[in-house]
Amino acid sequence: MTVEDRMRAEGHPLFPVVAAALVDDAGRVLLQQRPQGKALAGLWEFPGGKLEPGETPEGALIRELQEELDITVPPAALEAAGFASEPLADRHLLLLLYVIRGWSGTPRALEADGLIWCRPEEMEAWPMPPADGPLVRQLRAYLGFSAMTDAPGESGML
């Protein structure tokens, strides 16, 4: 974020949002496609959403994953992995990323146009919202990947 971005963001309310990097047994991460009719439609993102009044970030993420993907996540499965800060027109986005390796149920796209499982080293090939770029780099570091040593993997659409 540039100094100009920070200056524009001053005085704007903070907009906290939570996101999940669901990691399967093969080391792939789930992305969902933003639905038509919403801002940034067609882009791929980590599932999650905004906090409701009085919610903790963890509680909001568990609720959002149930609503969006029809999965149940135990609180102990949430690992804080990174964050992104992005000025928006009328507020300032604070995006908190959690890694989740255990859940009940099979993820289904209840609110998204599609789901895809992809390897961390492939994520930058998918068009994502601007705030997700730093999260991809943080996630790769968190999971122990480096751009210099990663071998290409396979991804699969759901």
Side-chain angles (χ1 to χ4, degrees):
M1 178 189 316
T2 67
V3 172
E4 292 81 17
D5 289 337
R6 285 191 195 104
M7 291 174 66
R8 278 195 301 274
E10 286 181 20
H12 289 167
L14 195 60
F15 180 50
V17 175
V18 289
L22 294 169
V23 180
D24 72 5
D25 291 340
R28 300 175 305 168
V29 176
L30 183 75
L31 297 178
Q32 67 181 12
Q33 189 173 35
R34 292 187 59 82
Q36 296 304 312
K38 285 201 167 189
L40 306 174
L43 297 182
W44 294 88
E45 67 182 355
F46 297 103
K50 63 184 177 181
L51 279 70
E52 297 295 335
E55 274 186 317
T56 64
E58 296 80 7
L61 187 55
I62 290 168
R63 175 186 52 77
E64 287 283 350
L65 294 173
Q66 179 68 53
E67 293 172 0
E68 291 182 4
L69 300 175
D70 195 26
I71 62 171
T72 302
V73 177
L78 277 68
E79 304 171 31
F83 74 94
S85 179
E86 181 81 21
L88 304 174
D90 61 344
R91 53 194 170 177
H92 192 91
L93 174 68
L94 179 61
L95 183 54
L96 307 172
L97 180 68
Y98 291 82
V99 167
I100 300 172
R101 300 170 203 260
W103 60 88
S104 299
T106 300
R108 299 184 305 131
L110 300 179
E111 297 183 9
D113 282 351
L115 300 177
I116 185 169
W117 289 99
C118 65
R119 298 207 171 279
E121 63 271 16
E122 300 169 331
M123 294 178 75
E124 291 174 345
W126 295 93
M128 299 178 85
D132 285 23
L135 294 181
V136 169
R137 290 186 294 280
Q138 292 171 35
L139 177 62
R140 288 168 52 97
Y142 185 87
L143 296 175
F145 288 85
S146 75
M148 301 300 280
T149 61
D150 291 338
E154 295 181 28
S155 63
M157 293 285 289
L158 291 179

